[in-house]
Structures are given as C-alpha cells and as structure tokens.
Amino acid sequence: MRTKSILRYIFKRLLIAIPVLIGITFLDFLIMNLAGNPLAMLMGPKVSQGAVEARALELGLDQPLLVRYGVWLGQVLHGNLGYSIKSFEPVADMIRQQLGPTLMLMGTSLILSLLIAIPAGIYSAVKQYSVGDYIIVGFSFLSISVPSFFLALVFIYLFSSQLAWLPSSGMYTLGGDRGFADVVRHMVMPVLVMTASLVGNNIRYIRSGMLEILQANYLRTAKAKGIGQTKVIGKHAFRNALITIVTVIGMQIPMLFGGSIIIEQVFAWPGLGLMTMSAILARDYPVIMGTALLAAVVVQLANLVTDIVYVLIDPTISLE
C-alpha cells in the first residue's frame, strides 16, 4: 500500500513538473530575446549585412517569438536541443561532454562539505555555548560571508602564484599524462572553494535541527533511563536529524549548479559552468536554453527525490 502511494505521488509530481518546466523555459527564452539579437556578435567589417540576414533566415530568427519558441520546444520533445550558433555543434553533445567534469566537481564538494558539516553541526549542538561551539559557529559565519570568487582568487594567489603548489586553471596539465593524480591536483582548489561556500550553511542547518531534537521529551526520557549520551545521540537524535540533512542536500544541489558557473570560470574548469558563461558572452541562445532546461530538470528531480527520502526516513509523513 505504501509503495503504491509513493508511485502515485511520483506520477503526480512528474505531471506537475511538465507545465513548470515549460513555464521556466519560456521565461528564459523571453529574457534572452529581450537581451538582443545573437547575430549582432557576427557583424563586422568582414561580414556583410546580407550574410547576417541569410544566417537569420537559416536559424529562423525572422519568425515571431512564440513561433520560434514552439519550434524549439518541438525539437526538445524529439530529443534535439538544437545547434550552437557559435561552434555549430549539437547542444546535447556539448552538454554531454561537459557534464562529467561538473558532476565530478559538484559531487566531491558536496560529499566533503557533508563530512565536515555533519560532525561539526552535531558537536556544536551537543556542546552548545562551549568554546568549541563558538569556534564552529564563527567559522560557519565566516564561510557564508566570504564570496566564493574572492576566496578563489586568494587561493590562486597563495597556492599557485606564491607557493607554486597547485595549478591555477584547467583540468589537466598541458603535455602531461592526464592521469588521476593530475586531475586531483587541478581539483583541489575549486573543490575547496565550493566546499567552503557550502559548509557554513550546512553547519547552521544541522546544528539548528539537532538543537531542536535534543530538546524533545523522548530524548530527555532516554537520558533519564541512563542509556548513555553516545547511544542517545547516535541512535535516537541522529536518526531524526536525517530529515534536516536530507533537506540540506536537496537545497545544495541546485545551489551547486549555480555556483559552479563562477568557480569554473575563475579556475577555467571545463564543465557546464564555463560553457554556460561562454555561451552567455557570445549570446549563444541554443546552448543557454539547453543548460537552463538541464538546471530546471535537476531542481525538479532534487525536490522529488528529497520528498521521497523524507517518507522513507519517517513513515509518519503523509504523501497526500
């Protein structure tokens, strides 16, 4: 019965996601068209007005906005995200090539931030108002306050320019063997910057969730029975704190997609963020629309998976 309810809930959420995705992509399409003609980037002394007009006819830019959006949406339903105006490559292939490095960066940063934030948040809640609590809370506020691009520039200055310990950009060393160790060396700084931007918020949410749980009556009863603080926290409190942890993960995934644009641009990491920024600067609308659609799908899936995990963790939560 519970399985049927979950499947019915998933089906309903997927149906709701369809008009949401259409609305998001239409707004993106509208905003991009308000930003200007992408073929304006081609105009110059070596390109005639006739060539630009011919290119506009080829891309269908002479059609009204709604017609062009309908054509794009029809292509998407057939699995075709269009072709880049700048490089003439299929957008789907470009996203497929750049998705791996971005997922590598995002996944490593998310895991590392949770490995730091979960024990730090629990310790801070259990040892509330202690010296360790003040240090952890101060670190979390510092992490939130420092902009990621500024921290990235500081890391490049220290570890690349001054100490020459780490490479400042790219994913591989030019002319190198492109081995695992080489990739790891290039990942260190962008991963640390993304982790630092995540860990502060994670600690605050986990600490807040644990403090609320530690004040619950059933935990006071467990402590009064002499079960022991370690068992009370590990078996009872942490299990109920999983709701907070799942919420944090669900919120961080969309944030990682947005934050990766800045980090990948600073470190020249060959992922979706760098590709998206290059497309924005070149007004490469098909590429921008493809990445916007992917980001919207990721947000919808992250919310759906988070809601399902809620039910698996706490059976008392209703899906209705």
Side-chain angles (χ1 to χ4, degrees):
M1 186 65 180
R2 190 68 169 173
T3 304
K4 290 183 179 179
S5 298
I6 293 176
L7 292 176
R8 187 165 57 248
Y9 176 76
I10 293 174
F11 181 71
K12 287 167 60 179
R13 285 292 297 270
L14 291 176
L15 287 179
I16 295 172
I18 294 174
V20 172
L21 290 175
I22 292 175
I24 291 172
T25 54
F26 179 75
L27 287 175
D28 289 336
F29 198 85
L30 177 63
I31 292 171
M32 285 190 301
N33 279 271
L34 292 175
N37 188 342
L39 297 183
M41 306 292 291
L42 300 177
M43 294 180 182
K46 295 183 179 181
V47 181
S48 65
Q49 183 65 29
V52 174
E53 291 176 357
R55 183 65 175 150
L57 289 172
E58 181 184 350
L59 296 173
L61 295 177
D62 59 322
Q63 300 294 326
L65 173 67
L66 291 177
V67 173
R68 283 185 281 127
Y69 176 74
V71 171
W72 177 85
L73 188 60
Q75 291 178 342
V76 169
L77 295 177
H78 288 87
N80 178 20
L81 296 179
Y83 294 85
S84 168
I85 296 175
K86 183 180 179 181
S87 65
F88 306 102
E89 295 180 72
V91 175
D93 291 345
M94 294 176 65
I95 291 176
R96 195 178 300 113
Q97 293 169 7
Q98 308 299 325
L99 185 59
T102 294
L103 291 179
M104 187 189 305
L105 206 62
M106 288 172 52
T108 306
S109 303
L110 181 60
I111 293 172
L112 186 59
S113 69
L114 291 174
L115 289 176
I116 297 172
I118 291 174
I122 293 174
Y123 176 86
S124 182
V126 173
K127 303 292 184 179
Q128 188 180 18
Y129 302 130
S130 65
V131 175
D133 177 34
Y134 286 124
I135 293 174
I136 291 173
V137 171
F139 170 76
S140 67
F141 278 110
L142 179 65
S143 171
I144 296 169
S145 303
V146 178
S148 57
F149 72 89
F150 176 77
L151 185 62
L153 294 176
V154 170
F155 276 21
I156 291 173
Y157 175 76
L158 289 177
F159 299 115
S160 293
S161 300
Q162 297 298 314
L163 300 175
W165 287 353
L166 297 169
S168 61
S169 62
M171 188 175 175
Y172 304 103
T173 302
L174 292 176
D177 58 356
R178 297 198 167 201
F180 177 75
D182 190 28
V183 176
V184 170
R185 289 184 69 248
H186 284 79
M187 282 182 63
V188 170
M189 285 199 293
V191 165
L192 288 179
V193 172
M194 291 189 74
T195 300
S197 65
L198 295 175
V199 74
N201 272 324
N202 291 354
I203 289 175
R204 290 181 61 202
Y205 282 120
I206 294 171
R207 179 181 182 273
S208 177
M210 280 296 297
L211 284 173
E212 185 177 351
I213 292 169
L214 290 173
Q215 295 172 2
N217 292 330
Y218 71 93
L219 281 185
R220 295 176 182 173
T221 303
K223 290 179 183 178
K225 290 181 178 179
I227 295 178
Q229 187 177 20
T230 303
K231 196 170 183 180
V232 168
I233 295 171
K235 186 176 180 181
H236 299 285
F238 181 72
R239 183 177 179 181
N240 288 279
L242 285 175
I243 295 289
T244 303
I245 295 172
V246 170
T247 304
V248 167
I249 296 174
M251 291 189 304
Q252 297 293 359
I253 292 175
M255 289 176 61
L256 279 168
F257 254 87
S260 66
I261 295 178
I262 299 173
I263 302 303
E264 290 182 12
Q265 181 73 13
V266 174
F267 290 103
W269 184 263
L272 287 175
L274 184 61
M275 184 186 74
T276 303
M277 184 60 69
S278 300
I280 291 172
L281 294 176
R283 295 183 187 175
D284 198 343
Y285 290 174
V287 177
I288 300 173
M289 287 299 299
T291 54
L293 176 62
L294 176 63
V297 170
V298 168
V299 171
Q300 292 290 325
L301 288 177
N303 291 336
L304 176 60
V305 172
T306 301
D307 289 342
I308 294 171
V309 174
Y310 283 158
V311 177
L312 297 177
I313 294 174
D314 188 355
T316 62
I317 295 177
S318 175
L319 289 173
E320 299 300 330

